[in-house]
Amino acid sequence: MTSVQSPASFQISPATGGHGLSLSDSAARRLAKLGEVEGHPVMLRVAVDGGGCSGFQYRLDLVQAAEADDIRIENDGQTALVDAVSLPFLKGSEIAWVDELAGAQFVIRNPNAASSCGCGVSFSI
């Protein structure tokens, strides 16, 4: 049985750079593959915006350059970027790539989310 810790009890691993975010091996492999297809390295920008059917929604974009204040999450030479405003909503999360029968996509495994909509794009805290 898996338990979910409340946000106040998270222990941030030093391996996550102190920000509590991680980029899974599957997400790093997918970013590398996308970079090969594009012909240049790409990074995944992850942000949290207000809205969506559950209160907040994830915004995921492929970009070529980081902003000066971006937090970098790296794994195996691949990078995801998060802005400082979105960071508190994502603390302790894992950015992963899933390839299932229902479809293939980047997902955010967010222990802070109390509930999410059926599509997994929006969530509440």
Side-chain angles (χ1 to χ4, degrees):
M1 181 174 178
T2 304
S3 65
V4 176
Q5 298 175 326
S6 68
S9 66
F10 286 139
Q11 296 297 315
I12 304 304
S13 164
T16 64
H19 46 62
L21 297 170
S22 64
L23 184 65
S24 73
D25 292 342
S26 63
R29 284 191 302 272
R30 183 61 180 170
L31 285 171
K33 179 101 172 154
L34 289 169
E36 288 174 17
V37 169
E38 293 290 321
H40 54 79
V42 295
M43 295 177 272
L44 180 67
R45 178 176 302 287
V46 179
V48 174
D49 295 328
C53 54
S54 294
F56 296 100
Q57 60 188 356
Y58 300 114
R59 183 171 29 95
L60 306 172
D61 297 302
L62 293 175
V63 297
Q64 293 181 39
E67 299 293 326
D69 59 346
D70 280 337
I71 294 119
R72 299 173 72 90
I73 300 96
E74 299 180 342
N75 181 356
D76 199 24
Q78 303 303 310
T79 304
L81 305 166
V82 177
D83 62 272
V85 173
S86 298
L87 182 62
F89 299 103
L90 296 168
K91 212 159 202 80
S93 295
E94 178 187 51
I95 303 162
W97 174 258
V98 295
D99 192 352
E100 300 172 335
L101 186 59
Q105 62 185 341
F106 286 104
V107 297
I108 311 299
R109 296 181 177 137
N110 188 343
N112 304 302
S115 64
S116 65
C117 66
C119 66
V121 173
S122 69
F123 66 99
S124 67
I125 295 183

